[in-house]
């Protein structure tokens, strides 16, 4: 949001400003992490000869809504615990900067869960009711990430949890609802995607390390220390690219998957931009670059898989 949010504006631009507040609350830069695994799982299914556009769109909408709701729970619970203020970096800021009532944010998050549930019921009718159990688990994980007595985000398991659900689980569900089966190839392809989702969380925790430590959190970045956490981030990037090479050698993916290497410069920038920085605002470009690496890698991987399907 712009720093002049609280100044008096002409009535004509008020609706636009209000729209922007709600849009920022959803943390749109994170929503590609919900879109990409659905796209990859669906393209993998197309290679098996299965594609239902309504199932794809339903799964996509449900995933994005769960991700947006998780972001809203994050905003709400961090506010309730006194962790967010007007100067906090990297938050939507709807509560502390724009005066949106905390209860409104919480209600909207649950409404998004409700819509996701309805979409999930449709998906179950078309595939299997096992999806209902897994979908419920995804929503519980989204809530407990910053809600509940011991939020996952405050432990060393935040990266692992986010990577598992936003990578492996969503890709396999997206594949399963199209094909009615699970394949080892789909599971393997989900691994580098999971790693890069975890990298987004790690970059977030590197940025917030000092504040998190003051508030008694025990994130992976805190346990490792900033320098080793940045080294570990670099290792996560490297592992993602090594996976792709291994898949091509093993025949799991075609050489078109080499397209992901176009995202290497962004990952290199992310690591370099973290080095020697200590203020959260200084580390924002590095964190943005980490999220962009995930987006570019995922879209390029989906494109590579789609091209190999066409040819």
């Amino acid at each position: 949001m712009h720093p002049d949010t609280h100044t008096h504006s002409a009535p004509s631009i008020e609706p636009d400003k209000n729209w922007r507040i709600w849009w920022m609350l959803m943390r749109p830069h994170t929503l590609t992490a919900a879109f990409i695994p659905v796209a990859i799982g669906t393209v993998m299914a197309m290679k098996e000869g299965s594609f239902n556009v309504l199932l794809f769109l339903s799964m996509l909408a449900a995933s994005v809504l769960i991700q947006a709701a998780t972001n809203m729970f994050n905003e709400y619970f961090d506010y309730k615990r006194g962790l967010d203020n007007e100067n906090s970096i990297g938050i939507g800021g709807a509560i502390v900067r724009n005066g949106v009532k905390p209860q409104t944010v919480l209600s909207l998050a649950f409404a998004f869960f409700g819509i996701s549930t309805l979409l999930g019921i449709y998906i179950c009718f078309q595939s299997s009711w096992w999806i209902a159990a897994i979908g419920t688990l995804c929503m519980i994980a989204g809530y407990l990430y910053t809600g509940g007595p011991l939020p996952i985000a405050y432990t060393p398991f935040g990266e692992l949890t986010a990577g598992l659900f936003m990578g492996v689980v969503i890709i396999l569900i997206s594949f399963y609802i199209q094909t009615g089966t699970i394949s080892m190839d789909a599971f393997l392809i989900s691994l580098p995607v999971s790693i890069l989702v975890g990298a987004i969380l790690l970059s977030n925790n590197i940025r917030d390390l000092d504040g998190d430590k003051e508030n008694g959190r025990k994130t992976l970045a805190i346990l490792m220390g900033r320098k080793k956490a940045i080294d570990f981030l670099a290792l996560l990037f490297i592992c993602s690219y090594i996976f792709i090479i291994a898949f091509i050698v093993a025949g799991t993916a075609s050489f078109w998957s080499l397209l992901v290497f176009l995202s290497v410069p962004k990952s290199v920038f992310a690591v370099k931009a973290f080095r020697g920085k200590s203020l959260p605002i200084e580390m924002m470009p590095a964190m943005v670059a980490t999220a962009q690496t995930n987006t570019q890698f995922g879209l390029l991987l989906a494109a590579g898989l789609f091209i190999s399907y066409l040819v």
Side-chain angles (χ1 to χ4, degrees), residues 202 206 209 220-221 224-234:
L202 179 61
I206 292 170
L209 192 150
L220 194 59
M224 298 180 93
R226 181 170 279 121
K227 186 180 182 303
K228 286 185 179 176
I230 295 168
D231 291 341
F232 186 56
L233 179 68

Side-chain angles (χ1 to χ4, degrees), residues 184-219:
M184 181 55 73
D185 284 0
F187 170 72
L188 291 172
I189 289 290
S190 74
L191 295 178
V193 179
S194 298
I195 288 171
L196 290 178
V197 171
I200 296 175
L201 272 297
L202 179 61
S203 71
N204 188 41
N205 289 333
I206 292 170
R207 182 199 64 193
D208 296 338
L209 192 150
D210 294 332
D212 286 348
K213 192 183 287 187
E214 286 174 18
N215 288 301
R217 293 187 178 188
K218 293 285 189 290
T219 63

Side-chain angles (χ1 to χ4, degrees), residues 241 244 248 254-265 296-308:
Y241 295 107
I244 297 301
I248 293 168
S254 79
F255 72 93
W256 286 105
S257 299
L258 289 173
L259 282 170
V260 300
F261 281 84
L262 292 173
S263 64
V264 167
Q296 291 181 8
F297 185 103
L299 290 175
L300 289 164
L301 179 57
L305 292 167
F306 186 67
I307 292 168
S308 67

Side-chain angles (χ1 to χ4, degrees), residues 27 37 106 109 156 239:
R27 302 185 191 177
L106 189 65
C239 287

Side-chain angles (χ1 to χ4, degrees), residues 158-179:
E159 289 84 355
L160 181 65
T161 304
L164 177 65
F165 281 98
M166 301 303 294
V168 174
V169 172
I170 293 185
I171 286 176
L172 290 183
I173 290 177
S174 301
F175 182 83
Y176 178 82
I177 64 175
Q178 297 284 351
T179 64

